Amino acid sequence: MGIKVNYPITRPFPSRLFAIVTYIVAFLLLVLLVVVNAALAGYETVTVFADSYNATRPLWFHKFLLTQAPKPGTLCDSKLFNVGDTLSTNYSIFQWQIEYIYHANAGSSSLAYKGTPLDGCDVTSIYLDADLHSWNVDVTSVMTCKPADGSYEISARTSYAISGLSGIYRPILGVTGASDPRNASSALRGDGRAALINLMTVLSGVDVLNRMASRLTIQNLSSPVRVSLAVDIPWCPQSMASNACSTTPPTFTIREADAVFVNISLVQLGTTDIDFSDPAINYFYQPVANLIQTVYASSRVDLGIASPNNILTTDGAWRSTINTTFAASSGLPSTESRLGHLFSTPGDFTLSNDSTVPLSTSGTAEIRVVYPCKFQQRKKAANAVFAVISATAAMFTAVWGVFIVVASSIVKRDIKANECSHTCVCMDLAFMRDDRFSNPDLSFVRDDRFSRPFTLASPTSERTGLLNSR
């Protein structure tokens, strides 16, 4: 046999109504496939950066097709943090640096953050270093984060300087972002919370330095010119808001204290050696206590902890916490606290709008990060049209082929459906079934010499002779 190319012989389905219904259903199927493929082939997955880990992007076809809208938290990748990485909360008052990861939830040494509130974070330590030589107070606040589910545990710190010197520029993050660092006159301008916190820390730091300077003057330069403190504070995060640590005035313990004198001598005081009733050191205890409470409350505002004992978020809480007047001590007269004056007469200080106590918070803080998310985005017009047409044609062809096979197999169950018409072969087959030629002596013999497919031979003898002659 030679190589041949064949084509199928077609025949119409017997019912005209069947044809009409078929074309209507085919048209509706085509429209449906166009809509489906507009959603499946007309969009592509792209990476978009979002501020929320739970970000989603509902599309029009989620309402019409049998597809669910993506659930929050399924489209974005978590943010990885390692030791030494910096972060800030959504309040953006301080910049924190991860100091240590005690319990990692990503690998053996990383933190995978998925936008959960920091309700297990609170300040646990504060470090102060007041130096009269540089007229500067260095502040470091350490927080510990331990969520209730125990998924991770980290510590982070923030450091900044309180100084009256123009050449020392280490402000808190909120003031840096809200003011122009190129203009020194804008240093105290801000968006409210950061500006007020910056002013309060400056006033409380200046109170400490002034108290030390006054003591140094009356003691003929024999009192400390530099004091360093390490302070521990009970851990009381937002998740423990109902505990007594959130309702009673905050307490702290000065774990270590060091003093440097004019002659560069160093005095180190251990935990059991610190006696603030000693005239040599009790003169600066009240201003130092004010500074500790200010740093503590400020850091907790950045964590979104608006506990009843927070002097910055609860009206009147400062009255049982802040020393408005420094008592006479060690030859020093009683003086008014600058920080206390701010609380008692806030109208004497000009700040921007929304910069009065109590400060407002919008709930527990979250780490401010940007998440890479995989969203569906419509393709360019030409690409989308080509993709939709290609996918629709492929699907429609496949469905139409299956339909024809199934429909023809059902129709062929009827013997009459196997009859053909409108062809020479079909006409001759009909001729063979004619009753006039039912004589068994008659037969049909194909003659390839003629274009007619069949030739009739009546008598048996003639039929035999004809065959023999051929």
Side-chain angles (χ1 to χ4, degrees):
M1 293 179 60
I3 299 176
K4 297 181 179 180
V5 178
N6 301 320
Y7 64 92
I9 298 177
T10 61
R11 69 183 73 178
F13 285 99
S15 174
R16 187 170 181 271
L17 178 61
F18 178 80
I20 296 175
V21 173
T22 298
Y23 282 116
I24 293 176
V25 172
F27 175 77
L28 296 178
L29 175 63
L30 185 63
V31 172
L32 177 61
L33 290 178
V34 169
V35 175
V36 170
N37 286 297
L40 298 180
Y43 287 78
E44 59 185 350
T45 302
V46 296
T47 299
V48 179
F49 294 98
D51 293 329
S52 173
Y53 178 77
N54 296 318
T56 58
R57 182 179 290 180
L59 298 173
W60 59 269
F61 52 80
H62 292 147
K63 298 180 180 179
F64 304 102
L65 303 181
L66 299 179
T67 57
Q68 262 189 338
K71 295 181 180 179
T74 60
L75 300 179
C76 301
D77 296 331
S78 58
K79 172 67 176 179
L80 288 180
F81 289 98
N82 296 300
V83 173
D85 290 346
T86 59
L87 58 90
S88 61
T89 69
N90 53 318
Y91 290 96
S92 298
I93 298 176
F94 299 105
Q95 179 174 275
W96 302 85
Q97 183 179 31
I98 296 180
E99 192 173 46
Y100 198 79
I101 298 178
Y102 300 98
H103 175 57
N105 64 355
S108 59
S109 60
S110 298
L111 167 67
Y113 182 70
K114 299 181 179 181
T116 55
L118 303 177
D119 55 0
C121 299
D122 193 21
V123 177
T124 53
S125 300
I126 294 175
Y127 297 86
L128 303 176
D129 185 76
D131 190 355
L132 279 178
H133 284 115
S134 59
W135 201 258
N136 179 78
V137 180
D138 287 324
V139 179
T140 298
S141 179
V142 179
M143 72 167 173
T144 300
C145 293
K146 296 183 293 183
D149 59 2
S151 56
Y152 66 89
E153 181 178 355
I154 67 169
S155 65
R157 61 183 172 88
T158 180
S159 300
Y160 52 95
I162 302 170
S163 178
L165 301 180
S166 302
I168 298 179
Y169 180 73
R170 281 189 293 163
I172 63 177
L173 175 65
V175 172
T176 304
S179 61
D180 185 359
R182 298 167 295 181
N183 184 0
S185 63
S186 67
L188 291 182
R189 291 205 302 266
D191 60 350
R193 286 181 294 229
L196 180 59
I197 287 174
N198 181 78
L199 178 60
M200 293 179 64
T201 54
V202 168
L203 293 178
S204 56
V206 170
D207 278 340
V208 173
L209 294 172
N210 279 340
R211 197 70 170 170
M212 292 174 60
S214 299
R215 173 68 176 177
L216 184 66
T217 301
I218 66 173
Q219 290 293 321
N220 297 321
L221 305 180
S222 62
S223 62
V225 293
R226 185 172 184 176
V227 176
S228 291
L229 303 174
V231 182
D232 290 336
I233 302 176
W235 182 70
C236 188
Q238 184 67 27
S239 58
M240 300 172 58
S242 59
N243 291 25
C245 62
S246 296
T247 57
T248 57
T251 60
F252 59 87
T253 301
I254 298 180
R255 172 168 32 94
E256 295 179 358
D258 303 320
V260 179
F261 292 81
V262 176
N263 60 0
I264 317 180
S265 62
L266 172 64
V267 176
Q268 294 180 320
L269 303 176
T271 305
T272 59
D273 298 329
I274 302 176
D275 181 12
F276 286 100
S277 63
D278 184 352
I281 58 176
N282 66 355
Y283 63 91
F284 68 85
Y285 176 76
Q286 287 182 322
V288 165
N290 280 358
L291 179 57
I292 292 173
Q293 294 289 1
T294 302
V295 173
Y296 178 62
S298 302
S299 301
R300 302 186 91 209
V301 170
D302 195 38
L303 297 176
I305 303 176
S307 58
N309 63 356
N310 192 323
I311 62 175
L312 296 180
T313 59
T314 303
D315 190 20
W318 64 272
R319 300 182 187 277
S320 58
T321 305
I322 298 300
N323 298 288
T324 58
T325 303
F326 302 140
S329 174
S330 304
L332 294 177
S334 175
T335 56
E336 183 184 22
S337 164
R338 288 174 173 80
L339 180 63
H341 184 72
L342 171 62
F343 277 105
S344 59
T345 56
D348 292 349
F349 299 89
T350 302
L351 293 173
S352 60
N353 295 331
D354 191 27
S355 56
T356 58
V357 176
L359 296 178
S360 61
T361 58
S362 56
T364 306
E366 298 177 3
I367 299 178
R368 186 177 184 179
V369 295
V370 176
Y371 302 92
C373 304
K374 294 177 175 59
F375 289 162
Q376 290 291 309
Q377 176 178 290
R378 190 180 62 184
K379 296 179 180 177
K380 293 182 179 180
N383 295 338
V385 171
F386 179 78
V388 171
I389 291 177
S390 300
T392 302
M395 290 185 179
F396 184 80
T397 302
V399 174
W400 182 259
V402 171
F403 167 75
I404 291 298
V405 171
V406 173
S408 59
S409 63
I410 294 175
V411 171
K412 286 180 179 180
R413 294 177 181 177
D414 185 1
I415 188 62
K416 293 183 178 181
N418 295 314
E419 296 179 355
C420 61
S421 60
H422 306 298
T423 64
C424 296
V425 175
C426 293
M427 294 175 64
D428 288 333
L429 289 176
F431 175 71
M432 293 172 60
R433 291 194 300 268
D434 197 315
D435 293 338
R436 294 174 299 173
F437 301 96
S438 58
N439 190 334
D441 293 333
L442 297 180
S443 62
F444 296 90
V445 180
R446 183 174 182 84
D447 192 346
D448 293 333
R449 294 174 300 173
F450 302 98
S451 60
R452 292 182 58 193
F454 292 94
T455 303
L456 176 64
S458 295
T460 304
S461 58
E462 292 181 7
R463 180 187 63 185
T464 305
L466 180 59
L467 290 175
N468 294 332
S469 65
R470 293 180 61 187

